[in-house]
Amino acid sequence: MKIVVLPGDGIGPEIMAVAVRVLEAASERFQLDLEIGHDIAGHASLQRHGATVTPALLEKVKAADGLMLGPMATYDFKDEAKGEINPSKFFRKELDLYANIRPARTFPGMAHRVGEFNLAVVRENTEGFYADRNIESGSSEMLITPDTVISLRRITRLCCERIARSAFDLARTRARHVSIVHKANVLKIGDGMFVDICRQVAREFPQVRVDDFIVDAMMAHVVRAPQRFDVIVTTNMFGDILSDLTAELSGSLGLGGSLNAGKDHAMGQAVHGSAPDIAGRNIANPYSLILSAGQLLGWHGQRKNLPAFALAARAIDETATAALQAREGTRDAGGELGTAEAGQSFVRRLLEGRCR
């Protein structure tokens, strides 16, 4: 498996260094023969190449089997004409990574704000309220007058169908329960179509229980009793917000892994941002990228029918459980270790097979 690694901005290089060591350890233990190539995106690329991402980088990523993308300072990138392109958006759109899979669960040994739970948010990734990916070029957010902005949302049958199918496929491997989240009481046509299509796809999965919730009510339900939910499927912006909430409810936003997957490509990516205020201080939590790396290996193993990759993905997940229970994480995750030290501890456990 060939993986391209882009460290990113802010805390990105610190936590990506840990994720790479975990991938190397998994490759050693399970004989995965990973080939890891390094490149740059974000501010480093802007300074060197005049753009945060380049066509040459895209071709390199397309030729690989997977991508690991570090946190990017996306808020800094405002003018694409000046090369300030959001790398996350760029790869999601150019590689058609339509399914953003964001698991969230509690870990033994950590304080549980709302009790134990294990769920996954399946977020549509390529349209919705995100103005930078709704049209062929430019933005679907327009300044009509100095005091008036119009933002357009795109919802298509294709994108609704494939994200629904991703959610139901995932639910078959879990607790067989899908919750559709929407705002069809207000967005009657767009979200109405989304709900209808999800329910149509659900007929192909009679073994999976289905319900649906209006998004504002869902936020209250998740905070009150996340144990009620298994797989949550929703549109782009709702999924982005909801998955950050569920990650934080698990104990820390730094524990939120994320996989962006399409038909032919996938990208592991932390759910959080570049956190420039703590960059270089060796306190950032590397677990989000570690868990994302595990998801990427699992995706490749499933796609290529390679059992060793599935075993490696499971081992990374189990090692995370054991290490956090032993308080071998950073402060936000109930531990006392720095970023690098938490990574070293994780790699030792993974290589030794100490998952319990």
Side-chain angles (χ1 to χ4, degrees):
M1 182 182 186
K2 295 181 180 180
I3 299 175
V4 175
V5 169
L6 305 176
D9 303 312
I11 62 173
E14 299 169 73
I15 62 174
M16 186 62 82
V18 172
V20 168
R21 288 198 294 272
V22 170
L23 284 169
E24 291 170 342
S27 184
E28 178 182 340
R29 178 178 165 188
F30 294 96
Q31 299 181 326
L32 305 181
D33 194 26
L34 295 185
E35 180 181 325
I36 300 175
H38 298 262
D39 214 309
I40 57 173
H43 277 297
S45 178
L46 188 62
Q47 293 170 7
R48 183 179 300 179
H49 302 302
T52 53
V53 286
T54 65
L57 177 60
L58 177 60
E59 292 308 309
K60 183 176 182 178
V61 170
K62 284 182 175 180
D65 298 299
L67 169 65
M68 285 294 296
L69 182 69
M72 295 286 169
T74 54
Y75 192 72
D76 295 346
F77 308 140
K78 295 180 170 62
D79 190 347
E80 291 198 0
K82 297 179 180 178
E84 298 173 355
I85 301 162
N86 177 345
S88 181
K89 177 273 298 190
F90 177 80
F91 288 114
R92 289 172 179 176
K93 186 173 181 178
E94 296 298 328
L95 301 176
D96 197 23
L97 307 178
Y98 59 85
N100 190 195
I101 314 298
R102 294 186 168 189
R105 64 182 177 91
T106 50
F107 291 87
M110 291 184 61
H112 301 154
R113 295 181 177 89
V114 290
E116 296 181 358
F117 68 90
N118 185 342
L119 58 80
V121 176
V122 179
R123 165 198 177 198
E124 203 291 319
N125 225 6
T126 57
E127 57 178 16
F129 276 120
Y130 281 69
D132 60 0
R133 63 205 70 174
N134 276 337
I135 60 178
E136 182 64 24
S137 63
S139 172
S140 60
E141 189 171 56
M142 294 160 282
L143 187 66
I144 304 303
T145 74
D147 303 311
T148 305
V149 176
I150 292 179
S151 299
L152 302 178
R153 181 175 79 142
R154 185 188 74 186
I155 298 292
T156 63
R157 180 169 297 276
L158 169 65
C159 291
C160 292
E161 286 178 347
R162 62 188 188 177
I163 198 62
R165 191 158 281 108
S166 295
F168 282 94
D169 280 336
L170 179 62
R172 285 195 302 189
T173 69
R174 294 173 50 94
R176 299 185 177 185
H177 176 201
V178 170
S179 299
I180 307 163
V181 174
H182 59 90
K183 192 66 175 173
N185 58 325
V186 175
L187 301 168
K188 296 181 184 295
I189 301 175
D191 273 24
M193 185 173 75
F194 175 75
V195 175
D196 288 346
I197 291 172
C198 286
R199 292 233 171 237
Q200 290 168 17
V201 172
R203 297 183 193 126
E204 302 173 22
F205 300 84
Q207 73 276 34
V208 177
R209 181 164 60 95
V210 187
D211 48 28
D212 71 87
F213 297 86
I214 295 172
V215 64
D216 43 331
M218 184 62 168
M219 297 297 177
H221 288 307
V222 164
V223 169
R224 185 183 303 120
Q227 303 82 9
R228 292 177 56 186
F229 303 103
D230 177 32
V231 173
I232 299 169
V233 62
T234 189
T235 52
N236 203 335
M237 183 174 288
F238 296 160
D240 196 5
I241 297 168
L242 185 57
S243 59
D244 279 3
L245 172 63
T246 55
E248 183 62 28
L249 289 175
S250 75
S252 169
L253 192 60
L255 298 175
S258 172
L259 182 75
N260 303 268
K263 179 177 179 291
D264 300 312
H265 304 281
M267 173 174 76
Q269 179 184 29
V271 302
H272 56 72
S274 61
D277 56 319
I278 62 170
R281 296 170 57 189
N282 195 41
I283 62 174
N285 189 342
Y287 271 75
S288 185
L289 265 188
I290 290 173
L291 293 169
S292 301
Q295 286 182 260
L296 183 62
L297 296 182
W299 173 84
H300 183 73
Q302 182 179 32
R303 180 169 173 260
K304 297 289 188 179
N305 193 25
L306 298 171
F309 283 82
L311 290 173
R314 190 177 308 122
I316 288 173
D317 199 62
E318 291 175 350
T319 300
T321 299
L324 290 170
Q325 187 171 17
R327 299 190 180 278
E328 295 173 359
T330 47
R331 285 182 178 272
D332 64 296
E336 297 292 333
L337 301 180
T339 307
E341 292 74 23
Q344 291 165 2
S345 172
F346 194 102
V347 167
R348 283 196 299 270
R349 279 186 174 273
L350 182 60
L351 287 174
E352 295 170 5
R354 293 189 295 123
C355 296
R356 292 177 177 82

